[in-house]
Structures are given as C-alpha cells and as structure tokens.
Amino acid sequence: MLSVLLLTLSILLATFVLQISKQLNHHLEKNSKPFDMVVGAKGSPLQLVLSTIFHIDNPTGNISLDEALRISKNPMIKEAIPVSYGDNYKGYKILGTSGQYLLKYNATCKDGKLNTKNFEAVLGSEVASSLNLSIGSTFVSSHGLIQNEIDIHDEKPFVVSGILASTGTVVDHLIITNLESIWEVHEHPSDEEHIEGEEHTEHEEEHKEITALLLNFRNPIGALQLSRSINKNSSLQVALPKLEIDRLLKFLGIGFQAINGIAVAILLVAGLSIFTNLIKTVRERKHELALLRTYGATNFQLLKLVFYEALSLSIIGCILGWILGRVSVLLFATLASEVYQYQLVISIPDTEEFFIFTLVLFTTILATIFASYSLFKLNISKILADA
C-alpha cells in the first residue's frame, strides 16, 4: 500500500508541474508575441509587461500622450498602439485603446459590432458569460483596478456594443473601449468650468495621458536602437516582452525543477518500496511457489506471476496519480481564473506523460527481476518438508 501511495504522489507532482509549466509557457508566449516593445513610466520592466500585456499587475504609472505620439512617429516603428486603463467593472478591467489592439489578437465580434463611439464597449467572451451582459446592456465603471462600490462613475455609463468570440488570450477577460472614453470619464467638472473655448482644448491636449505604448518594429535593430535612446534621453522606460518573460520563466523554472526533483526522488523511493514488497511477497509465498513448481510451472511462469502483481501496483499508482494530478490542475485553474484571469485546459495524457509512465514500467520490470532472483534458488524439497 505504501508503494502505491508513493508512486501516486510522484506521478501527481510530475504531471501537475508538467502541465502547469507547459500551459504557462504557451500562455505567456501567445499573449506577448503580438508586441516587440512596451513603453511606459519608469519602474520595474517586468511589472510594466505584466500590467500592460497580461493585465495581472498594477501599472508603473501614466505617460504623456504627446511624448508617446512623438515616439510613435519614429520611422523605425511599424505600429504603435496606445493603451490606457484605471477603471474596472465588477473586477474586470476596462481598457481604452485603438481598433488595432483587437486585430493583433485576431479578435472578432461574435455578437453586435465593434465600438465606434465614445462610451461604447466590447466585452471579452469570459466577461460577457460571467456578468450575463448582452448587446445594449449598460454599466458604470468603478475607479481603480479592484472591484469597489465607493468611487463609481455613475454619471457616464457604458453601453455594450459587441461581444467578442473567444480567443484564448487576455482579451477574453477585458472590457474594451476607445481612449476618448477613458479620458472623458476622468474629467473633472471643476476644470471644465474654469477653462473654456480654445484654452480648454489646449489644456486637454497638454494633460492627456495613457498607461503605455505597445510597439512593433520594422526590424530588430530598430528595437535595440530606440530602447537605448528612450531609456537614456527621456523620463520613460522601455521593456521588451520576450526578454522579461524569459527572465520570469527562468525564475519559475527553478521552482519547477525543484518540484520535479522531489517527484523523481519519490519515484525512486516508490520503486525501492515495490522492490521490498516483492521480496517480502516471494518469501511469504515460497510454499505456494514451490507447489507450483512441483505441478510443472517453470521459473519464467513464476517470474510472470510476480511481475503481474508488481505491474498491477504500478498501473494503479499511475492512474491514481494522473487523476489526482488533473484534479490539482483543475483546482489551480480555478485560482488562476480568479486571480490571474487565465484559463487552464484539462487535457489527455501527452508525450511527456507517456514517457513518465514508460519509466515507471521500466522501474517495475527492474524491481521484479531483482526481487525474483531468489525464485531461481528455491529448494523445493526443503521448503515442502518444512511446510
């Protein structure tokens, strides 16, 4: 029983870590791939990437729209997509951006149409299903990135103009509108009373801000040159998504490797436990085995009996470990969906997992061979005489 428990635990840990690491790598790569660079306020480059691309952290601050526009006019830049956020609706972030943003994720409307006017919004598929909103529904945003009922912009409601088809990206968990809506919802009436006409327009242009600028370049050299220039000659900072994600995965990889090491150690202990149990079984059942020999059973047939017993333990341990591993992934998926707004997929066994099962089978065969060595030394007459 102990050997089955140990084997189950080792398979559970190995399959859990394998699935989490593979799906996390795929998720990070899929969501960061559309952009070569992020330009934002100074702070942590990793925080800038996590907040503006994956939307799982607080932004490093806002940047001037004028400064962002000057950068976007650089001839080395192929595309520049501004993003701005700071509000939410029931915990889902409201993102102000241009229509190019949805094109980068191949997002299309399943129902309704894309937002074309101020305070029109399109909903990601997860947002629509979770909040039961439909075309024409209205809602008001709350200030901040966490759900609250205190600072609500109830004077400027949003209207749902469209619902996006599922993309399997961060877009599924966002409410998307245009930049003008984000700016307008944060306007202060007191400012409008004191500034009128042309002065008011100039004042607005000077003080408009965005959270970050997402860039794509015509060639990799442009990204390197511009990143050095911005970091050195401006109050902004540059973050390269691929570089920051590689660093993050490197840190996470240490933890994954540690857990995998523990799983391998437990698997070895499980193999040793199976070996010990088989030796004990052979010794306890030597009278039965001796009788089988007198009835004409060969050593190979006895070896098969011992192997089948070990194999049944291994199969039970593998199946239980795989099932509990998937249950663990499901529990983690619930947490990831609530905290990180990311859906994990429960899949069938893949190539790596079949390799693990093959390794377990190989370990079982070795344990059977070594444990059954005493079968070839059975003194049948002595054993039956002592019986």
Side-chain angles (χ1 to χ4, degrees), residues 92-107:
Y92 288 98
K93 292 181 180 178
I94 300 175
L95 178 70
T97 185
S98 66
Q100 290 176 288
Y101 182 85
L102 293 177
L103 293 177
K104 301 303 292 184
Y105 289 103
N106 297 318

Side-chain angles (χ1 to χ4, degrees), residues 37-311:
M37 180 186 290
V38 182
V39 179
K42 287 200 179 290
S44 164
L46 178 59
Q47 182 182 353
L48 180 60
V49 170
L50 292 178
S51 61
T52 55
I53 292 182
F54 299 99
H55 305 281
I56 55 175
D57 203 347
N58 293 320
T60 54
N62 289 334
I63 62 175
S64 165
L65 177 63
D66 288 340
E67 197 165 6
L69 290 175
R70 281 197 297 271
I71 293 172
S72 66
K73 293 176 182 177
N74 190 297
M76 293 183 291
I77 294 175
K78 181 181 179 181
E79 290 177 300
I81 302 175
V83 292
S84 183
Y85 61 91
D87 289 349
N88 76 93
Y89 176 61
K90 294 188 176 180
Y92 288 98
K93 292 181 180 178
I94 300 175
L95 178 70
T97 185
S98 66
Q100 290 176 288
Y101 182 85
L102 293 177
L103 293 177
K104 301 303 292 184
Y105 289 103
N106 297 318
T108 57
C109 272
K110 179 179 67 175
D111 296 312
K113 61 183 181 66
L114 295 178
N115 55 296
T116 55
K117 302 176 182 177
N118 289 2
F119 293 98
E120 284 187 344
V122 290
L123 309 180
S125 58
E126 291 295 328
V127 179
S129 61
S130 175
L131 301 181
N132 292 320
L133 294 174
S134 58
I135 306 300
S137 298
T138 60
F139 62 91
V140 292
S141 61
S142 300
H143 189 64
L145 303 179
I146 301 175
Q147 180 179 357
N148 70 84
E149 301 296 332
I150 300 174
D151 193 358
I152 299 177
H153 305 297
D154 51 8
E155 71 283 356
K156 294 178 179 178
F158 286 86
V159 179
V160 177
S161 67
I163 296 174
L164 299 172
S166 178
T167 62
T169 67
V170 291
V171 172
D172 295 343
H173 298 268
L174 294 175
I175 299 172
I176 297 175
T177 186
N178 58 14
L179 288 167
E180 289 76 15
S181 300
I182 299 296
W183 293 328
E184 191 174 336
V185 83
H186 290 100
E187 283 181 352
H188 300 289
S190 58
D191 293 340
E192 295 178 6
E193 292 174 2
H194 295 294
I195 305 172
E196 296 179 356
E198 187 178 343
E199 290 183 4
H200 172 61
T201 304
E202 291 176 359
H203 177 80
E204 273 189 331
E205 293 296 332
E206 287 177 5
H207 291 82
K208 280 181 180 176
E209 294 180 327
I210 58 173
T211 304
L213 191 64
L214 307 176
L215 302 178
N216 282 314
F217 288 85
R218 301 185 187 279
N219 57 70
I221 297 176
L224 294 175
Q225 291 179 346
L226 188 61
S227 63
R228 285 196 295 265
S229 174
I230 293 175
N231 286 332
K232 184 177 180 180
N233 303 320
S234 74
S235 60
L236 309 180
Q237 77 162 340
V238 162
L240 303 175
K242 189 178 187 313
L243 177 63
E244 297 304 324
I245 294 308
D246 286 344
R247 288 177 179 173
L248 177 61
L249 290 176
K250 184 179 179 180
F251 291 131
L252 292 176
I254 296 173
F256 289 146
Q257 289 173 6
I259 297 176
N260 277 329
I262 294 172
V264 171
I266 296 174
L267 179 60
L268 293 175
V269 174
L272 182 61
S273 178
I274 292 174
F275 170 69
T276 305
N277 282 342
L278 290 178
I279 291 179
K280 184 180 178 183
T281 298
V282 170
R283 289 178 178 175
E284 289 178 347
R285 298 173 60 185
K286 62 183 179 180
H287 296 95
E288 298 174 30
L289 297 173
L291 282 173
L292 289 174
R293 285 294 304 277
T294 61
Y295 290 138
T298 64
N299 284 334
F300 181 70
Q301 288 174 323
L302 297 183
L303 183 64
K304 284 199 299 183
L305 288 175
V306 177
F307 172 70
Y308 289 150
E309 183 173 338
L311 183 62

